[in-house]
Amino acid sequence: MDIRQSIHSDHAKQLDTDALRQAFLIEKIFTADHYTLTYSHIDRIITGGVMPVNQPVTMGDEMGKQLGVAWFLERRELGMINIGGPGLVEVDGKTWEIGHEEALYIGKGARDLLFRSLDASRPAKFYFNSAPAHTTFPDRKITLQEAVNATLGDAASANRRTIHKFIVPDVLPTCQLTMGLTRLHEGSLWNTMPCHTHERRMEVYFYFDMSEDHAVFHMMGEPQQTRHLLVHNEQAVISPSWSIHAGVGTQRYAFIWGMVGENQVFDDMDAVRISELR
């Protein structure tokens, strides 16, 4: 497990490019026939991916020692979105088929997890976020049709995008985790601008659906002390509550956002006007 400590905003101002990347960028999410885990001290979120190709991948008791519990989800909930081919997720003996751009929520207490791909030539890629949980809510699969879908922005500002809110209170109950997928329309490059912070939640952005020759310039930092990270396909950025989180790509892309914190109000944002950014 890769462990990332919290970074104070005053400290972040002093970091060079390499140090910023080490603190906030997750460069490797998917590895064939394995799972990856990055544990952030910021709200105790865990971010990772599972990509079964030639054999199933299991998650269970072996992770407990690192978290101070008996097994991974003893005191956690988990949400995942599949960006690869169709796959199967077995949760304590119950099997869910999760297709491309479908989500699965797994409640606190689930012990044995097993992941398979239906076609090794097009393996499933289960991207997940996990957060501490205080109670158990039912496991549930969420399709694109069941998500809360909204289209925002306009072509003139190059930020026309459709947001698919999979794991939000309007769809299902969770302890604190929310997740969704945003896809930019053809010709749009900005994922959100004007940008915002939200003091009551942290957020992780996972960028995907880019070719190897392209990237996203992810803007971060306090509104008057902005920095940027160059993010490539299937990489993620940890965003503290004090930081903006906006990006512009060299081509159209998609990203998955996941938030944990004190509330689940999607619109609880502290807007920042473009004229205020430095």
Side-chain angles (χ1 to χ4, degrees):
M1 185 187 301
D2 182 13
I3 297 178
R4 307 291 180 92
Q5 295 185 3
S6 300
I7 301 292
H8 194 282
S9 56
D10 287 344
H11 181 194
K13 297 174 187 177
Q14 315 303 320
L15 300 181
D16 63 12
T17 297
D18 286 342
L20 282 172
R21 293 175 69 86
Q22 290 172 12
F24 299 108
L25 181 66
I26 306 172
E27 294 190 82
K28 190 69 173 178
I29 296 290
F30 295 114
T31 300
D33 296 325
H34 292 281
Y35 60 77
T36 65
L37 297 169
T38 298
Y39 181 103
S40 173
H41 282 223
I42 304 172
D43 286 314
R44 307 290 174 178
I45 193 171
I46 293 178
T47 297
V50 187
M51 186 172 71
V53 181
N54 300 306
Q55 60 188 25
V57 177
T58 61
M59 301 170 69
D61 294 5
E62 79 283 357
M63 298 166 59
K65 185 177 181 179
Q66 299 180 78
L67 298 171
V69 291
W71 68 90
F72 180 28
L73 297 183
E74 182 182 0
R75 297 182 60 82
R76 285 181 163 271
E77 60 185 354
L78 184 145
M80 66 178 67
I81 298 175
N82 181 14
I83 66 164
L88 301 177
V89 181
E90 186 177 303
V91 183
D92 290 336
K94 181 175 181 178
T95 300
W96 305 82
E97 182 172 339
I98 308 299
H100 180 68
E101 295 190 355
E102 292 183 339
L104 177 65
Y105 171 80
I106 302 174
K108 170 184 171 293
R111 185 156 194 166
D112 296 315
L113 309 180
L114 184 145
F115 304 84
R116 301 177 188 269
S117 293
L118 294 182
D119 181 356
S121 67
R122 188 171 168 245
K125 292 182 176 182
F126 300 106
Y127 170 76
F128 67 84
N129 290 160
S130 174
H134 65 278
T135 193
T136 300
F137 289 111
D139 303 343
R140 181 174 164 186
K141 171 183 174 178
I142 309 101
T143 66
L144 274 173
Q145 293 71 32
E146 294 169 326
V148 176
N149 303 305
T151 298
L152 303 175
D154 56 65
S157 299
N159 69 349
R160 187 71 169 170
R161 61 202 188 277
T162 297
I163 304 173
H164 306 287
K165 303 175 188 177
F166 285 100
I167 300 175
V168 294
D170 288 342
V171 176
L172 78 168
T174 69
C175 293
Q176 61 169 320
L177 179 66
T178 60
M179 289 182 72
L181 187 157
T182 298
R183 182 171 295 280
L184 275 66
H185 292 205
E186 190 65 49
S188 287
L189 301 173
W190 283 99
N191 56 45
T192 178
M193 188 57 71
C195 60
H196 60 268
T197 61
H198 25 73
E199 190 64 33
R200 293 146 295 278
R201 297 190 304 275
M202 65 82 67
E203 189 162 10
V204 176
Y205 273 14
F206 168 70
Y207 292 100
F208 70 101
D209 204 15
M210 287 184 284
S211 64
E212 291 185 3
D213 295 332
H214 289 269
V216 171
F217 288 79
H218 178 89
M219 311 301 171
M220 63 164 296
E222 292 181 295
Q224 284 73 47
Q225 288 283 341
T226 58
R227 306 290 188 270
H228 78 268
L229 294 170
L230 205 64
V231 185
H232 292 275
N233 190 48
E234 297 183 358
Q235 295 182 342
V237 181
I238 301 167
S239 180
S241 58
W242 48 260
S243 176
I244 65 169
H245 35 285
V248 59
T250 58
Q251 69 167 185
R252 185 179 66 151
Y253 55 92
F255 67 101
I256 293 172
W257 44 267
M259 294 183 282
V260 301
E262 291 189 333
N263 69 27
Q264 297 179 311
V265 181
F266 185 82
D267 294 329
D268 182 17
M269 304 171 184
D270 304 307
V272 181
R273 291 182 293 182
I274 296 175
S275 61
E276 298 173 342
L277 292 172
R278 299 291 184 269

